[in-house]
Amino acid sequence: MRTAKTDAAAQATSTSTGKNEQWIDKAKAHLLQNYKQQPIVLERGLGSRVWDADGREYLDLLGGIATCGLGHCHPEVVAAVRAQLDKLWHVSNAFYTEPQIELATRLTAASGLQRAFFCNSGAEANEALIKLARKVQKDRGNADRYEIITFENSFHGRTLATVTATGQTKYQKGFEPLPAGFTHVPYGDLEAVRKAVGPHTAAILVEPIQGEGGVRAAPKGFLQGLRALCDEKGLLLLVDEIQTGMGRTGKAFAYQHEGILPDGISLAKSLGNGLPIGAMLCTDEAGKSLTPGTHGSTFGGNLIAAVAANVVARKVTEPQMLRDVAQKGEYFLTRLRELQGRMPSVVKEARGLGLLIGVELFQDAAPFIAKCRELGLLVNAAGEKTIRFAPAYTVTNDDLDHGVRILERALKS
Ligand SMILES: *Cc1c(COP(=O)(O)O)cnc(C)c1O
């Protein structure tokens, strides 16, 4: 339905008024140059569409990097945030607030874990997991158990501890000395994990699907194997659900595909539909270690972010919403595999679960991502050669078809 319009917009680039360019000149003068940013200035969004400063429309199948699960300006999120804006914004965690208590109630019910701690980002949620694991082992009398096993090619954040947990040296180079207490083993290799467990091991931290690492899922049974190993060795199983949680894979949380219960999980990205909020959820038993004064955050669980997250938590636990995500994801993956069949020398693999999907190419993805944008489609790279799609759960099959058509044109160019 929107195809003609977006294609018309695509042809209008040459006649753009140049507001994008003016802003980008200022950005280059004043912003820290730590990102490879796509050269457009986005101004407005609705559902799976966004518009740039020159009024050009794009199909957004990236959703703020797996963050705007309900789409841009979802009316229920907007209404909840608007109502809260006139009431109260922030009081700190020196006091109780209703939205935060409601959110803890919803997330614990959905996850099977009993305790919730709120922060502002994914990295902070993982920091909370790391501190939790160390403190639990100390409290059990295992003062020597401080090491966290994580995986090669993983991504856990940019703070010093989480970048050390991250199993990719490109994120660590130049920031040494890195904090002690992390070791990396090949993803999906249960025997390697077993061998890495030693007298200092406290916990295992794992992504159910490596998102930044190229949308790579662990082999079936891997999380179950880790759960059994953790039980056998007295370790905590920590699952990084920052990219995969809040309905993204067609379950509320991706570990639920394997029927296990972790000791702790981290959430962020989709949790606030674009407002900054993270969470660490854990078992009642583990949570006992973080006693008053041991951890905290000034902004964590702030009322504005919490009311947005409550709408997300309510909607992404509705069975119909989860079925939609699973069905749309299967539909999209099928279309992408057909595309692979048409272009087997360009597309190496299309993979993913629910609405977290990667298309791996035989070459660097960056030029094709730029071409997609020129044709009116927003995506990004996960790893060097993989194009990542993380559309809103409200995306239509028509939008997904349109995305595949643009991708095909970009790959043929
Ligand atoms: C994005 C991401 C993080 C880091 O989240 P920030 O909010 O950027 O700190 C950590 N782990 C995973 C799996 C992620 O996808």
Side-chain angles (χ1 to χ4, degrees), residues 17 63 68 105 113 122 166 181 204 242 365 369:
T17 58
C68 305
T105 308
L113 295 163
T166 293
I204 297 169
I242 291 164
I369 289 166

Side-chain angles (χ1 to χ4, degrees), residues 74-355:
H74 187 281
E76 288 173 63
V77 182
V78 171
V81 169
R82 276 213 178 112
Q84 190 60 44
L85 281 172
D86 284 330
K87 266 168 110 177
L88 189 65
W89 291 24
H90 172 83
V91 291
S92 89
N93 287 298
F95 306 96
Y96 292 109
T97 57
E98 280 177 36
Q100 194 185 122
I101 299 165
E102 184 189 333
L103 185 57
T105 308
R106 287 185 185 282
L107 293 177
T108 51
S111 65
L113 295 163
Q114 292 83 40
R115 299 280 163 191
F117 164 78
F118 295 106
C119 51
N120 314 285
S121 67
E124 280 176 278
N126 281 336
E127 287 274 345
L129 283 178
I130 294 162
K131 287 177 73 176
L132 177 80
R134 289 186 178 185
K135 188 67 164 50
V136 164
Q137 295 293 3
K138 295 265 177 345
D139 291 350
R140 286 180 186 168
N142 303 322
D144 287 348
R145 288 189 173 269
Y146 53 80
E147 192 172 82
I148 318 266
I149 296 175
T150 68
F151 294 90
E152 289 169 10
N153 200 43
S154 63
F155 183 82
H156 297 295
R158 303 290 200 145
T159 62
L160 273 174
T162 59
V163 89
T164 309
T166 293
Q168 302 187 59
T169 48
K170 69 172 180 191
Y171 293 111
Q172 301 164 342
K173 255 186 93 183
F175 300 114
E176 302 82 358
L178 299 172
F182 296 90
T183 187
H184 306 98
V185 300
Y187 188 56
D189 185 343
L190 205 52
E191 265 323 291
V193 186
R194 178 176 285 279
K195 275 190 206 135
V197 174
H200 299 305
T201 311
I204 297 169
L205 173 61
V206 62
E207 293 163 276
I209 299 171
Q210 292 188 328
E212 299 310 299
V215 191
R216 293 171 201 280
K220 263 204 168 52
F222 186 56
L223 291 186
Q224 286 175 1
L226 293 179
R227 178 69 276 178
L229 183 63
C230 286
D231 290 343
E232 180 192 326
K233 306 279 184 185
L235 313 176
L236 283 85
L237 179 61
L238 311 175
V239 179
D240 182 337
E241 289 269 359
I242 291 164
Q243 192 152 159
T244 51
M246 303 311 291
R248 175 60 55 193
T249 68
K251 298 257 187 207
F253 306 103
Y255 65 80
Q256 294 170 335
H257 290 283
E258 292 241 329
I260 60 141
L261 189 65
D263 297 287
I265 68 171
S266 50
L267 300 174
K269 292 203 163 84
S270 293
L271 180 56
N273 209 53
L275 280 176
I277 182 168
M280 185 275 283
L281 309 182
C282 65
T283 61
D284 189 43
E285 197 227 330
K288 286 195 172 91
S289 283
L290 293 181
T291 51
T294 54
H295 194 52
S297 163
T298 299
F299 289 123
N302 160 294
L303 287 95
I304 307 293
V307 293
N310 270 318
V311 177
V312 174
R314 177 165 52 79
K315 307 230 34 126
V316 307
T317 49
E318 285 168 4
Q320 187 55 48
M321 176 68 92
L322 293 170
R323 273 197 296 273
D324 276 359
V325 171
Q327 277 168 10
K328 289 171 186 176
E330 271 174 42
Y331 178 85
F332 193 33
L333 198 53
T334 304
R335 298 286 87 81
L336 289 167
R337 286 184 174 149
E338 288 165 3
L339 169 63
Q340 182 197 355
R342 293 192 294 275
M343 306 188 74
S345 61
V346 181
V347 179
K348 188 173 175 195
E349 191 183 28
R351 56 177 175 257
L353 188 60
L355 286 170

